[in-house]
Amino acid sequence: KLALLWEGEKGEFRSFSYFALRREVCRFANVLKSLGVQKGDRVTIYMGRVPELPIAMLACARIGAIHSVVYGGFTVEALAERIEDSQSRVLITCDGAYQRGKIVPLKQIADEALQRSATIESVLVVKRTGEPVNMEQGRDMWYHELMALPIANGACQIEVMDAEDPLYILYTSGTTGK
């Protein structure tokens, strides 16, 4: 059965069965674990509307990491504030996103936000638009390259969590950020 159907703004189409979605989630969870992400760590997700967004959310949940999704239209200041609030170690973003026919330079915005945040150790970048972006050596990595590594295998044990353990950080308002 199909779990996820996605159609991009430019007419691209991708679909995932439940089996395929689980496999991708496990693969990405293993990538996160290889970067040292573990139960209780925080991961900020700043992406456009692509399948890798729910994959990243589910991968964080699978290994017990707390995720904070930041809307891909937010400013440098809003992203920097949310990274600082969450004390995230990892940022997952895209090179850019399509929004109403225009490209939003997510990676560029993320780079500017990271100049104000000292907690991010790794930035994982999904190639969406193909626009050239700055990749800082030792910090920035392409999602597709990491997913091609042997560590990104399709088997990843679920982290056992208590009912009181946090799953995600959700802001109640886009304007106040609190």
Side-chain angles (χ1 to χ4, degrees), residues 21 24-33 37 43 45 52-65 67 92 143 156-157 159:
L21 182 60
E24 293 304 301
V25 166
C26 286
R27 291 179 64 218
F28 191 56
N30 285 325
V31 166
L32 290 173
K33 285 170 54 175
V37 178
V43 175
I45 303 171
E52 289 80 5
L53 174 61
I55 289 169
M57 293 167 63
L58 291 167
C60 287
R62 187 166 195 89
I63 62 174
H67 65 275
I92 306 166
Y143 177 94
C156 180
Q157 292 296 318
E159 183 68 38

Side-chain angles (χ1 to χ4, degrees), residues 6 14 33 35 38 45 58 68 70 137 152 155 157 178:
W6 175 81
R14 291 169 63 192
K33 285 170 54 175
L35 295 171
Q38 54 191 346
I45 303 171
L58 291 167
S68 174
V70 180
Q137 190 169 358
Q157 292 296 318
K178 301 292 177 191

Side-chain angles (χ1 to χ4, degrees), residues 37-178:
V37 178
Q38 54 191 346
K39 181 179 179 177
D41 286 343
R42 290 160 189 97
V43 175
T44 297
I45 303 171
Y46 180 65
M47 303 174 76
R49 295 174 193 97
V50 292
E52 289 80 5
L53 174 61
I55 289 169
M57 293 167 63
L58 291 167
C60 287
R62 187 166 195 89
I63 62 174
I66 303 161
H67 65 275
S68 174
V69 177
V70 180
Y71 170 61
F74 277 6
T75 64
V76 171
E77 294 79 17
L79 177 59
E81 181 179 296
R82 284 157 175 78
I83 291 170
E84 192 64 34
D85 281 349
S86 66
Q87 295 291 296
S88 291
R89 294 181 51 224
V90 174
L91 173 66
I92 306 166
T93 190
C94 296
D95 55 357
Y98 294 105
Q99 199 167 45
R100 295 184 197 107
K102 296 182 181 173
I103 294 177
V104 179
L106 297 178
K107 177 63 167 71
Q108 179 184 334
I109 293 167
D111 286 343
E112 291 178 38
L114 292 178
Q115 293 176 0
R116 305 170 191 203
S117 303
T119 61
I120 297 292
E121 299 168 8
S122 302
V123 178
L124 311 181
V125 184
V126 173
K127 189 176 281 194
R128 169 73 176 112
T129 64
E131 294 288 310
V133 294
N134 178 53
M135 296 291 281
E136 185 177 307
Q137 190 169 358
R139 182 194 74 183
D140 300 351
M141 295 159 267
W142 288 108
Y143 177 94
H144 66 276
E145 290 178 358
L146 294 171
M147 292 292 276
L149 295 174
I151 191 68
N153 65 61
C156 180
Q157 292 296 318
I158 294 174
E159 183 68 38
V160 176
M161 306 291 287
D162 290 328
E164 297 83 16
D165 289 337
L167 173 64
Y168 57 85
I169 298 169
L170 178 65
Y171 291 87
T172 58
S173 170
T175 55
T176 64
K178 301 292 177 191

